[in-house]
Short mmCIF file of all heavy atoms in Angstrom, two decimals:
data_model
loop_
_atom_site.label_atom_id
_atom_site.label_comp_id
_atom_site.label_asym_id
_atom_site.label_seq_id
_atom_site.Cartn_x
_atom_site.Cartn_y
_atom_site.Cartn_z
N ASP A 227 30.00 -58.87 -54.10
CA ASP A 227 29.08 -59.65 -53.27
C ASP A 227 28.64 -60.94 -53.97
O ASP A 227 28.32 -61.93 -53.32
CB ASP A 227 27.83 -58.83 -52.93
CG ASP A 227 28.07 -57.87 -51.76
OD1 ASP A 227 29.06 -58.09 -51.02
OD2 ASP A 227 27.29 -56.92 -51.61
N GLU A 228 28.62 -60.92 -55.30
CA GLU A 228 28.21 -62.09 -56.06
C GLU A 228 29.23 -63.22 -55.96
O GLU A 228 28.93 -64.37 -56.29
CB GLU A 228 27.99 -61.72 -57.53
CG GLU A 228 26.94 -60.64 -57.76
CD GLU A 228 26.84 -60.23 -59.20
OE1 GLU A 228 27.31 -61.00 -60.07
OE2 GLU A 228 26.30 -59.14 -59.48
N PHE A 229 30.45 -62.88 -55.51
CA PHE A 229 31.52 -63.87 -55.43
C PHE A 229 32.06 -63.99 -54.01
O PHE A 229 33.25 -64.19 -53.79
CB PHE A 229 32.63 -63.51 -56.41
CG PHE A 229 32.13 -63.19 -57.79
CD1 PHE A 229 32.13 -61.90 -58.25
CD2 PHE A 229 31.61 -64.20 -58.59
CE1 PHE A 229 31.63 -61.60 -59.51
CE2 PHE A 229 31.11 -63.90 -59.84
CZ PHE A 229 31.12 -62.60 -60.31
N GLY A 230 31.16 -63.86 -53.07
CA GLY A 230 31.54 -64.06 -51.67
C GLY A 230 31.84 -62.80 -50.90
O GLY A 230 32.15 -62.85 -49.71
N GLY A 231 31.77 -61.64 -51.55
CA GLY A 231 32.00 -60.38 -50.86
C GLY A 231 33.46 -59.97 -50.84
O GLY A 231 34.36 -60.76 -51.13
N VAL A 232 33.69 -58.72 -50.49
CA VAL A 232 35.06 -58.19 -50.46
C VAL A 232 35.68 -58.45 -49.09
O VAL A 232 35.13 -58.06 -48.06
CB VAL A 232 35.08 -56.70 -50.81
CG1 VAL A 232 34.23 -55.88 -49.85
CG2 VAL A 232 36.51 -56.16 -50.83
N ASP A 233 36.82 -59.11 -49.07
CA ASP A 233 37.59 -59.27 -47.85
C ASP A 233 38.88 -58.47 -47.92
O ASP A 233 39.46 -58.11 -46.90
CB ASP A 233 37.89 -60.74 -47.56
CG ASP A 233 38.62 -61.42 -48.71
OD1 ASP A 233 38.66 -60.84 -49.83
OD2 ASP A 233 39.14 -62.53 -48.51
N ILE A 234 39.32 -58.18 -49.15
CA ILE A 234 40.53 -57.37 -49.37
C ILE A 234 40.21 -56.36 -50.46
O ILE A 234 39.70 -56.71 -51.53
CB ILE A 234 41.72 -58.24 -49.80
CG1 ILE A 234 42.08 -59.24 -48.69
CG2 ILE A 234 42.93 -57.37 -50.13
CD1 ILE A 234 43.10 -60.28 -49.12
N MET A 235 40.53 -55.10 -50.20
CA MET A 235 40.35 -54.03 -51.18
C MET A 235 41.70 -53.37 -51.42
O MET A 235 42.34 -52.89 -50.47
CB MET A 235 39.36 -52.98 -50.66
CG MET A 235 39.10 -51.82 -51.60
SD MET A 235 37.93 -52.28 -52.89
CE MET A 235 38.12 -50.92 -54.05
N ILE A 236 42.14 -53.37 -52.66
CA ILE A 236 43.44 -52.77 -52.99
C ILE A 236 43.18 -51.60 -53.93
O ILE A 236 42.68 -51.77 -55.04
CB ILE A 236 44.39 -53.81 -53.62
CG1 ILE A 236 44.67 -54.91 -52.59
CG2 ILE A 236 45.68 -53.14 -54.06
CD1 ILE A 236 45.65 -55.96 -53.05
N ASN A 237 43.56 -50.41 -53.48
CA ASN A 237 43.26 -49.17 -54.20
C ASN A 237 44.50 -48.63 -54.91
O ASN A 237 45.42 -48.13 -54.26
CB ASN A 237 42.71 -48.13 -53.22
CG ASN A 237 41.41 -48.58 -52.58
OD1 ASN A 237 40.50 -49.06 -53.25
ND2 ASN A 237 41.32 -48.45 -51.26
N ASN A 238 44.49 -48.72 -56.22
CA ASN A 238 45.63 -48.28 -57.03
C ASN A 238 45.36 -47.05 -57.88
O ASN A 238 46.29 -46.48 -58.44
CB ASN A 238 46.07 -49.40 -57.97
CG ASN A 238 46.81 -50.51 -57.26
OD1 ASN A 238 47.93 -50.34 -56.82
ND2 ASN A 238 46.16 -51.65 -57.14
N ALA A 239 44.11 -46.67 -58.03
CA ALA A 239 43.77 -45.61 -58.97
C ALA A 239 44.43 -44.29 -58.58
O ALA A 239 44.37 -43.88 -57.42
CB ALA A 239 42.26 -45.44 -59.06
N GLY A 240 45.05 -43.65 -59.55
CA GLY A 240 45.70 -42.37 -59.31
C GLY A 240 46.02 -41.68 -60.62
O GLY A 240 46.07 -42.32 -61.67
N LEU A 241 46.24 -40.39 -60.55
CA LEU A 241 46.58 -39.61 -61.74
C LEU A 241 47.64 -38.60 -61.37
O LEU A 241 47.52 -37.90 -60.35
CB LEU A 241 45.34 -38.89 -62.28
CG LEU A 241 45.59 -37.97 -63.48
CD1 LEU A 241 45.94 -38.80 -64.72
CD2 LEU A 241 44.37 -37.10 -63.75
N GLY A 242 48.69 -38.53 -62.18
CA GLY A 242 49.76 -37.56 -61.96
C GLY A 242 49.74 -36.47 -63.01
O GLY A 242 48.72 -36.15 -63.61
N GLY A 243 50.89 -35.91 -63.25
CA GLY A 243 51.02 -34.81 -64.20
C GLY A 243 52.14 -33.90 -63.74
O GLY A 243 52.58 -33.96 -62.58
N GLU A 244 52.62 -33.06 -64.63
CA GLU A 244 53.72 -32.16 -64.30
C GLU A 244 53.36 -30.76 -64.76
O GLU A 244 53.20 -30.51 -65.96
CB GLU A 244 55.03 -32.61 -64.94
CG GLU A 244 56.22 -31.77 -64.52
CD GLU A 244 57.54 -32.29 -65.06
OE1 GLU A 244 57.53 -33.35 -65.72
OE2 GLU A 244 58.57 -31.65 -64.82
N VAL A 245 53.21 -29.85 -63.81
CA VAL A 245 52.91 -28.45 -64.15
C VAL A 245 53.33 -27.55 -63.00
O VAL A 245 53.13 -27.88 -61.83
CB VAL A 245 51.39 -28.27 -64.47
CG1 VAL A 245 50.53 -28.71 -63.29
CG2 VAL A 245 51.08 -26.86 -64.89
N ASN A 246 53.94 -26.45 -63.33
CA ASN A 246 54.37 -25.48 -62.32
C ASN A 246 53.17 -24.93 -61.58
O ASN A 246 52.12 -24.69 -62.17
CB ASN A 246 55.15 -24.36 -63.01
CG ASN A 246 55.76 -23.39 -62.03
OD1 ASN A 246 55.08 -22.52 -61.48
ND2 ASN A 246 57.07 -23.53 -61.79
N ILE A 247 53.32 -24.71 -60.29
CA ILE A 247 52.21 -24.24 -59.46
C ILE A 247 51.64 -22.92 -59.97
O ILE A 247 50.43 -22.65 -59.84
CB ILE A 247 52.65 -24.11 -57.98
CG1 ILE A 247 51.44 -23.86 -57.07
CG2 ILE A 247 53.69 -23.00 -57.82
CD1 ILE A 247 50.51 -25.02 -56.96
N LEU A 248 52.46 -22.06 -60.60
CA LEU A 248 51.98 -20.78 -61.10
C LEU A 248 51.12 -20.93 -62.34
O LEU A 248 50.33 -20.03 -62.67
CB LEU A 248 53.16 -19.85 -61.39
CG LEU A 248 54.05 -19.49 -60.20
CD1 LEU A 248 55.18 -18.56 -60.64
CD2 LEU A 248 53.24 -18.85 -59.09
N GLU A 249 51.28 -22.05 -63.02
CA GLU A 249 50.53 -22.30 -64.25
C GLU A 249 49.41 -23.33 -64.06
O GLU A 249 48.62 -23.58 -64.96
CB GLU A 249 51.49 -22.78 -65.34
CG GLU A 249 52.59 -21.78 -65.65
CD GLU A 249 53.70 -22.38 -66.49
OE1 GLU A 249 53.61 -23.58 -66.82
OE2 GLU A 249 54.65 -21.65 -66.82
N MET A 250 49.34 -23.94 -62.88
CA MET A 250 48.36 -24.98 -62.61
C MET A 250 46.95 -24.41 -62.56
O MET A 250 46.70 -23.43 -61.85
CB MET A 250 48.70 -25.69 -61.30
CG MET A 250 47.89 -26.93 -61.01
SD MET A 250 48.44 -27.70 -59.46
CE MET A 250 50.12 -28.20 -59.88
N THR A 251 46.04 -25.00 -63.29
CA THR A 251 44.66 -24.54 -63.29
C THR A 251 43.86 -25.26 -62.20
O THR A 251 44.26 -26.31 -61.70
CB THR A 251 44.00 -24.81 -64.64
OG1 THR A 251 43.90 -26.23 -64.85
CG2 THR A 251 44.80 -24.17 -65.77
N ASP A 252 42.71 -24.70 -61.88
CA ASP A 252 41.82 -25.36 -60.93
C ASP A 252 41.42 -26.74 -61.45
O ASP A 252 41.30 -27.69 -60.67
CB ASP A 252 40.56 -24.52 -60.71
CG ASP A 252 40.78 -23.34 -59.78
OD1 ASP A 252 41.95 -23.06 -59.45
OD2 ASP A 252 39.78 -22.69 -59.41
N ASP A 253 41.22 -26.85 -62.74
CA ASP A 253 40.81 -28.14 -63.32
C ASP A 253 41.92 -29.17 -63.18
O ASP A 253 41.65 -30.33 -62.84
CB ASP A 253 40.44 -27.96 -64.80
CG ASP A 253 39.95 -29.25 -65.42
OD1 ASP A 253 38.90 -29.75 -65.00
OD2 ASP A 253 40.63 -29.77 -66.34
N GLN A 254 43.17 -28.78 -63.45
CA GLN A 254 44.29 -29.71 -63.29
C GLN A 254 44.43 -30.16 -61.84
O GLN A 254 44.62 -31.35 -61.56
CB GLN A 254 45.59 -29.05 -63.78
CG GLN A 254 45.66 -28.89 -65.29
CD GLN A 254 46.85 -28.05 -65.71
OE1 GLN A 254 47.17 -27.03 -65.10
NE2 GLN A 254 47.52 -28.48 -66.76
N TRP A 255 44.36 -29.21 -60.92
CA TRP A 255 44.44 -29.53 -59.50
C TRP A 255 43.28 -30.45 -59.11
O TRP A 255 43.49 -31.49 -58.48
CB TRP A 255 44.39 -28.24 -58.68
CG TRP A 255 44.27 -28.44 -57.21
CD1 TRP A 255 43.10 -28.56 -56.49
CD2 TRP A 255 45.33 -28.57 -56.26
NE1 TRP A 255 43.36 -28.74 -55.15
CE2 TRP A 255 44.73 -28.75 -54.99
CE3 TRP A 255 46.72 -28.52 -56.35
CZ2 TRP A 255 45.47 -28.89 -53.82
CZ3 TRP A 255 47.46 -28.66 -55.18
CH2 TRP A 255 46.85 -28.85 -53.94
N GLY A 256 42.08 -30.08 -59.47
CA GLY A 256 40.90 -30.81 -59.05
C GLY A 256 40.84 -32.23 -59.60
O GLY A 256 40.43 -33.16 -58.89
N LYS A 257 41.27 -32.42 -60.85
CA LYS A 257 41.21 -33.75 -61.46
C LYS A 257 42.15 -34.72 -60.76
O LYS A 257 41.79 -35.86 -60.47
CB LYS A 257 41.54 -33.66 -62.95
CG LYS A 257 41.32 -34.97 -63.70
CD LYS A 257 41.51 -34.78 -65.18
CE LYS A 257 41.21 -36.07 -65.94
NZ LYS A 257 41.40 -35.89 -67.41
N VAL A 258 43.37 -34.26 -60.48
CA VAL A 258 44.35 -35.12 -59.80
C VAL A 258 43.87 -35.46 -58.39
O VAL A 258 43.94 -36.61 -57.95
CB VAL A 258 45.74 -34.45 -59.76
CG1 VAL A 258 46.68 -35.20 -58.83
CG2 VAL A 258 46.33 -34.39 -61.17
N LEU A 259 43.36 -34.46 -57.67
CA LEU A 259 42.87 -34.71 -56.31
C LEU A 259 41.65 -35.63 -56.32
O LEU A 259 41.52 -36.49 -55.45
CB LEU A 259 42.53 -33.39 -55.61
CG LEU A 259 43.61 -32.70 -54.78
CD1 LEU A 259 43.88 -33.46 -53.51
CD2 LEU A 259 44.91 -32.49 -55.57
N ASP A 260 40.76 -35.46 -57.29
CA ASP A 260 39.53 -36.25 -57.32
C ASP A 260 39.82 -37.72 -57.57
O ASP A 260 39.23 -38.60 -56.93
CB ASP A 260 38.59 -35.71 -58.40
CG ASP A 260 37.17 -36.25 -58.27
OD1 ASP A 260 36.80 -36.71 -57.16
OD2 ASP A 260 36.43 -36.21 -59.26
N ILE A 261 40.72 -38.00 -58.49
CA ILE A 261 41.04 -39.40 -58.79
C ILE A 261 41.93 -40.00 -57.69
O ILE A 261 41.63 -41.06 -57.14
CB ILE A 261 41.74 -39.51 -60.16
CG1 ILE A 261 40.77 -39.14 -61.28
CG2 ILE A 261 42.28 -40.94 -60.37
CD1 ILE A 261 41.41 -39.07 -62.66
N THR A 262 42.99 -39.31 -57.36
CA THR A 262 44.03 -39.88 -56.50
C THR A 262 43.65 -39.93 -55.03
O THR A 262 43.86 -40.95 -54.36
CB THR A 262 45.34 -39.09 -56.69
OG1 THR A 262 45.66 -39.03 -58.08
CG2 THR A 262 46.48 -39.75 -55.94
N LEU A 263 43.09 -38.85 -54.52
CA LEU A 263 42.75 -38.79 -53.10
C LEU A 263 41.28 -39.11 -52.84
O LEU A 263 40.95 -40.04 -52.11
CB LEU A 263 43.10 -37.42 -52.52
CG LEU A 263 42.69 -37.18 -51.06
CD1 LEU A 263 43.27 -38.25 -50.14
CD2 LEU A 263 43.11 -35.78 -50.62
N THR A 264 40.39 -38.35 -53.47
CA THR A 264 38.97 -38.57 -53.20
C THR A 264 38.52 -39.92 -53.74
O THR A 264 37.66 -40.58 -53.13
CB THR A 264 38.11 -37.43 -53.80
OG1 THR A 264 38.66 -36.17 -53.41
CG2 THR A 264 36.68 -37.52 -53.31
N GLY A 265 39.10 -40.37 -54.84
CA GLY A 265 38.78 -41.69 -55.37
C GLY A 265 39.17 -42.78 -54.39
O GLY A 265 38.42 -43.75 -54.18
N THR A 266 40.32 -42.62 -53.76
CA THR A 266 40.75 -43.59 -52.74
C THR A 266 39.80 -43.55 -51.55
O THR A 266 39.42 -44.59 -51.01
CB THR A 266 42.19 -43.30 -52.30
OG1 THR A 266 43.06 -43.37 -53.44
CG2 THR A 266 42.66 -44.32 -51.26
N PHE A 267 39.41 -42.35 -51.15
CA PHE A 267 38.44 -42.21 -50.06
C PHE A 267 37.13 -42.93 -50.38
O PHE A 267 36.58 -43.67 -49.55
CB PHE A 267 38.16 -40.73 -49.80
CG PHE A 267 36.81 -40.44 -49.22
CD1 PHE A 267 36.49 -40.81 -47.91
CD2 PHE A 267 35.84 -39.81 -49.99
CE1 PHE A 267 35.23 -40.55 -47.38
CE2 PHE A 267 34.58 -39.56 -49.46
CZ PHE A 267 34.27 -39.93 -48.16
N ARG A 268 36.62 -42.74 -51.61
CA ARG A 268 35.37 -43.40 -51.98
C ARG A 268 35.49 -44.92 -51.87
O ARG A 268 34.57 -45.60 -51.43
CB ARG A 268 34.98 -43.01 -53.40
CG ARG A 268 34.58 -41.55 -53.58
CD ARG A 268 34.07 -41.27 -54.99
NE ARG A 268 33.83 -39.84 -55.16
CZ ARG A 268 34.67 -39.01 -55.80
NH1 ARG A 268 35.79 -39.48 -56.33
NH2 ARG A 268 34.38 -37.73 -55.91
N CYS A 269 36.63 -45.44 -52.28
CA CYS A 269 36.84 -46.89 -52.26
C CYS A 269 36.99 -47.41 -50.83
O CYS A 269 36.48 -48.47 -50.49
CB CYS A 269 38.06 -47.26 -53.09
SG CYS A 269 37.82 -47.02 -54.87
N VAL A 270 37.71 -46.65 -49.99
CA VAL A 270 37.85 -47.05 -48.58
C VAL A 270 36.49 -47.05 -47.91
O VAL A 270 36.12 -47.99 -47.19
CB VAL A 270 38.82 -46.10 -47.84
CG1 VAL A 270 38.79 -46.36 -46.34
CG2 VAL A 270 40.24 -46.27 -48.38
N ARG A 271 35.71 -46.00 -48.14
CA ARG A 271 34.39 -45.91 -47.53
C ARG A 271 33.48 -47.06 -47.99
O ARG A 271 32.82 -47.71 -47.17
CB ARG A 271 33.74 -44.57 -47.89
CG ARG A 271 32.33 -44.38 -47.32
CD ARG A 271 31.77 -43.03 -47.70
NE ARG A 271 31.70 -42.85 -49.15
CZ ARG A 271 31.38 -41.70 -49.74
NH1 ARG A 271 31.13 -40.62 -49.00
NH2 ARG A 271 31.32 -41.61 -51.06
#
């Protein structure tokens, strides 16, 4: 807002990783979803 406000928002934040579904922890799942999906949602909103 200090520089005229946002007219374009480009959302690049994301987190990957490689782990078999049988070994994936709730924390691994949650961290990737929070940054990659929910983080994008927060920025869009």
